[in-house]
Amino acid sequence: MKKIIICLMSLLLSTGAAFAQKGLNCYPVFRGKVIPEKQMVMTEVRGDGMATYKLSYYRSVHFQVDTMTARKVAAMVEADALTADSAETEKTGELLTYGLVQLKPLGSIRRYLCYQARPTDYHAWIITMIYLEGSATLQDLRSMFEKQ
């Protein structure tokens, strides 16, 4: 009986994390609705292993797209940045190429959206998007990114 309860609790917790991005304009990207999942590299990590970074949840997607799709994805991130607590963004021409967005918290949980778009040699873009949750501050994230 104890094992069943533990399994159910784990399922409930993982389901909550899976929908943590819900309500964001870029949510369809993380769900494979803009770029098919088979064309993306997706990574999801949660749990005690993230405690070192003051995070409880990490989800990233990495993919290559044409310029038109890159603009569509960038527009979604920019829309999320407009409603965020804070946002640092950079553009190359009219296309968003960098974003560090501090989203509105869920209770005491801080949330972040990180975005990077890099051009390739053949008129395409490589995009990486990361969604983070935890107690980490913006300064904690900057320090982490500087080390890597």
Side-chain angles (χ1 to χ4, degrees):
M1 184 66 161
K2 204 180 234 186
K3 287 182 182 180
I4 292 172
I5 292 172
I6 290 171
C7 286
L8 288 173
M9 292 300 287
S10 295
L11 181 63
L12 286 173
L13 290 173
S14 65
T15 303
F19 294 102
Q21 302 91 15
K22 200 166 192 173
L24 298 179
N25 291 289
C26 64
Y27 177 70
V29 177
F30 284 99
R31 299 294 298 157
K33 303 297 183 192
V34 178
I35 295 88
E37 284 185 24
K38 62 185 175 191
Q39 294 176 9
M40 295 191 292
V41 175
M42 302 173 86
T43 305
E44 187 173 24
V45 182
R46 66 173 74 83
D48 294 338
M50 301 295 296
T52 305
Y53 306 104
K54 299 181 184 177
L55 295 171
S56 55
Y57 183 65
Y58 170 100
R59 185 170 189 181
S60 70
V61 292
H62 180 82
F63 49 87
Q64 184 173 317
V65 291
D66 60 26
T67 301
M68 187 172 74
T69 306
R71 285 185 181 135
K72 182 178 180 180
V73 172
M76 293 174 174
V77 174
E78 288 178 299
D80 286 327
L82 288 174
T83 61
D85 283 353
S86 71
E88 300 171 14
T89 59
E90 291 178 16
K91 288 186 172 189
T92 298
E94 293 182 19
L95 185 68
L96 181 70
T97 53
Y98 167 82
L100 179 55
V101 180
Q102 184 174 6
L103 302 163
K104 300 219 179 285
L106 288 175
S108 63
I109 299 171
R110 293 185 175 123
R111 305 181 314 142
Y112 301 95
L113 178 63
C114 308
Y115 170 88
Q116 181 184 42
R118 295 174 300 159
T120 67
D121 291 340
Y122 42 89
H123 306 289
W125 292 86
I126 296 172
I127 296 177
T128 303
M129 293 175 57
I130 303 171
Y131 174 85
L132 304 165
E133 286 184 357
S135 62
T137 65
L138 209 46
Q139 188 55 43
D140 292 331
L141 293 181
R142 283 191 191 105
S143 295
M144 236 186 310
F145 295 150
E146 285 174 8
K147 291 178 185 175
Q148 298 178 12

